[in-house]
Amino acid sequence: MRFVCSSPIQPPGRRRLAVRFPTLILIGASAVLIGSAQNASSDVGKQWFAHVQYLADDRLEGRLTGTEGYRKAAQYVADHFKEYGLEPGGTQGYFQPVKFDVQHVVASESKLALHDGRSDTPIHLGESAILGSRLPQRKDVSAPLVFVGYGLHIPEAHYDDFAGVDVRGKIIVYINGGPANIPGALKASARSPQEFVSFVEKAGAVGTITIPNPKSMDIPWDRIKLAASQPGMRLADPELQDSHRPMFTAIWNPAHADELLAGSGHKIADLLAIADAGKPMPRFDLKPALKATVVTKNEQVESPNVAGILRGSDPKLKNQYVVYSAHLDHVGVGEPIKGDKIYNGAMDNASGIASMLDIAEKLGKSGVKVKRSVLFLAVCAEEKGLLGSRYFAQKPTVPKSSIVADLNTDMFLPIFPLNYLVVYGADESTLGEDIQAAAAPLDVRVIPDRAPDRNIFIRSDQYNFIRAGVPSIMPEFGATANSPEDKAEAEWLKNRYHAPSDDAQQPIDLAAAAKFDKLMLQLVERVANASDKPHWKPDSYFRRFAEPRASE
Ligand SMILES: [Zn+2]
């Protein structure tokens, strides 16, 4: 899963538990048996967990795109696709190589200051702000700052934080979030790099400063700042880039944001209160100007997406593809937390790849025929801004118009029993009904997303298929408000999300993971066998991306 606090820029934290399987974890008043203990007498979830263990092993060093650890993971997936009888679906066998421009920001040699007209006040990199690494940084910048509220430009909602504000030559400062009366999907889309970065560049701004709202921050600042040393990437193919000029990008610690607001008559606490109330924000010039010297090191790397095709049985429908996607990469080796520097990414997203392999195996080996073809796709560079999936969705290895759906799995989080699913995109297309139908026989209920400001809908690979016009969904485990499971998820995000402790030693509910795989298998079969291909709801905002395909 991609990091929340920045959209155009990017940054992201192991706690080795003293206990090992089998063990008991106490959630609220109820004790939930976890790990292999629960399944000591059966094979439930064992195969799934074996994949997770391989992919999240320290030997794979966190599967950073472009590294040997990622290459081993890609080979593992390709070898299994072959074993299950899938056809190669890449450009080089099972692989589709993708090239990336990599930028390392050297914080120790970079400088940041606020200038009030008379003197410079140095800004502490790390404590107060971190520099973005994804978009090519400007080497030197000295520019006025302007606060643009949420920084949202959404014509169809008649909402524009940029209306009447001249941002030319300035650095825009904004708080993540948006007015409560605008649908989450719309806000999320306006925040995507495709929309946001190109809009800001066209408007003439020379940089962006994002202030995350603490209420929607998945992880605390202490861990966000550790991620500042991680390299940023963008697709090397100029056709697939959102900006054309270097741009200053940074994330400002909300606890230090009054440094920016000094003399403006506004305090960060008041602005965050407006954001929490979902009300429109004021826009105003900021008193200080920003001066920065940014030192970077740059290189190019190549890493593959991995694709395998289970050929459909229907003479006509076999030329249509249901994509089952999951990202294979994670964030690699980083700043140590509790002495551990390997960010293993077991839930994020070895778990999703393991489910994909389970389903590919069941379909591939069982001899069960499905009418449409199923394209299993393990993508790279999700953690770097959904880049591998963007490349595939734009340059697919099968005809673009033949892709009828994307079912994406990213960090579905089987840490408690599966009773509820949150399905991102469920309201947008008929796939919402399909997953409900697959879930019902297993007594799993699809419940609404209670935190739309986390922008999950644009934070994983399905979003690139959506933009290519393909109906898509992404399910994850859900919980009812304030339930023990809800708290367990929040704790997980706080402590393990993008931390070295997201490893194969953490408590995992294997039976729940196996139940999820069963559900997803039913979904794949249902979508692949349906007489009609999935379609967008008439009132879906995302339907617009499918319009050129309407005549097909
Ligand atoms: Zn992630």
Side-chain angles (χ1 to χ4, degrees), residues 129-463:
I130 59 173
L131 296 164
S133 56
R134 180 169 299 159
L135 298 176
Q137 282 276 12
R138 296 169 73 99
K139 287 188 174 56
D140 287 291
V141 65
S142 176
L145 299 168
V146 56
F147 183 77
V148 291
Y150 301 109
L152 289 173
H153 168 78
I154 314 178
E156 43 276 271
H158 308 290
Y159 186 88
D160 190 2
D161 281 317
F162 294 86
V165 183
D166 183 6
V167 302
R168 273 174 300 175
K170 297 179 187 170
I171 293 167
I172 63 160
V173 180
Y174 69 93
I175 293 179
N176 254 348
N181 61 347
I182 301 178
L186 251 166
K187 283 183 278 195
S189 182
R191 197 63 90 202
S192 68
Q194 288 97 324
E195 303 287 340
F196 184 80
V197 174
S198 43
F199 175 79
V200 167
E201 185 177 77
K202 271 189 208 124
V206 297
T208 69
I209 294 175
T210 312
I211 305 174
N213 183 337
K215 287 241 166 98
S216 52
M217 277 164 75
D218 285 342
I219 66 174
W221 184 263
D222 278 356
R223 290 216 283 111
I224 290 176
K225 74 179 185 193
L226 291 181
S229 61
Q230 293 182 352
M233 296 185 191
R234 68 172 184 170
L235 289 164
D237 187 337
E239 260 180 56
L240 302 175
Q241 294 173 350
D242 303 307
S243 62
H244 304 92
R245 294 190 302 271
M247 189 181 288
F248 173 81
T249 53
I251 304 171
W252 215 275
N253 183 350
H256 290 252
D258 281 331
E259 295 165 343
L260 295 166
L261 295 164
S264 71
H266 296 271
K267 290 271 182 209
I268 189 65
D270 303 330
L271 295 173
L272 289 173
I274 297 174
D276 291 342
K279 294 192 173 138
M281 225 29 115
R283 286 96 38 98
F284 48 89
D285 285 323
L286 295 170
K287 285 281 181 257
L290 184 127
K291 287 166 86 173
T293 304
V294 184
V295 177
T296 62
K297 285 193 181 122
N298 301 285
E299 60 174 327
Q300 270 209 344
V301 296
E302 187 182 278
S303 230
N305 292 325
V306 193
I309 295 170
L310 178 92
R311 188 56 64 191
S313 60
D314 183 274
K316 271 196 180 143
L317 294 180
K318 71 178 185 190
N319 296 318
Q320 294 183 3
Y321 296 85
V322 175
V323 171
Y324 190 109
S325 60
H327 78 87
L328 179 60
D329 69 306
H330 192 58
V331 300
V333 177
E335 296 293 326
I337 296 179
K338 301 198 173 166
D340 187 355
K341 62 186 169 63
I342 300 176
Y343 290 59
N344 306 76
M347 293 299 101
D348 185 13
N349 180 38
S351 66
I353 294 288
S355 289
M356 171 193 283
L357 291 175
D358 255 2
I359 290 161
E361 178 176 23
K362 288 198 178 88
L363 281 171
K365 283 186 169 172
S366 67
V368 172
K369 297 288 177 210
V370 289
K371 291 178 180 167
R372 290 186 177 83
S373 296
V374 182
L375 192 150
F376 294 95
L377 179 66
V379 296
C380 58
E382 189 273 350
E383 301 287 5
K384 299 300 175 189
L386 320 183
L387 299 179
S389 59
R390 185 165 177 179
Y391 190 84
F392 184 91
Q394 292 302 315
K395 297 180 180 272
T397 54
V398 296
K400 229 179 198 177
S401 60
S402 66
I403 301 174
V404 302
D406 172 46
L407 312 173
N408 188 49
T409 309
D410 184 4
M411 213 173 92
F412 60 92
L413 226 50
I415 55 170
F416 44 73
L418 175 57
N419 295 313
Y420 302 101
L421 272 183
V422 173
V423 182
Y424 302 100
D427 297 336
E428 309 295 333
S429 76
T430 52
L431 289 174
E433 287 136 41
D434 289 322
I435 197 162
Q436 280 191 21
L442 294 167
D443 283 326
V444 176
R445 258 183 57 204
V446 175
I447 57 171
D449 176 11
R450 283 184 288 115
D453 278 350
R454 284 178 68 213
N455 289 346
I456 304 277
F457 197 48
I458 69 158
R459 283 172 61 200
S460 191
D461 297 302
Q462 72 279 354
Y463 190 62

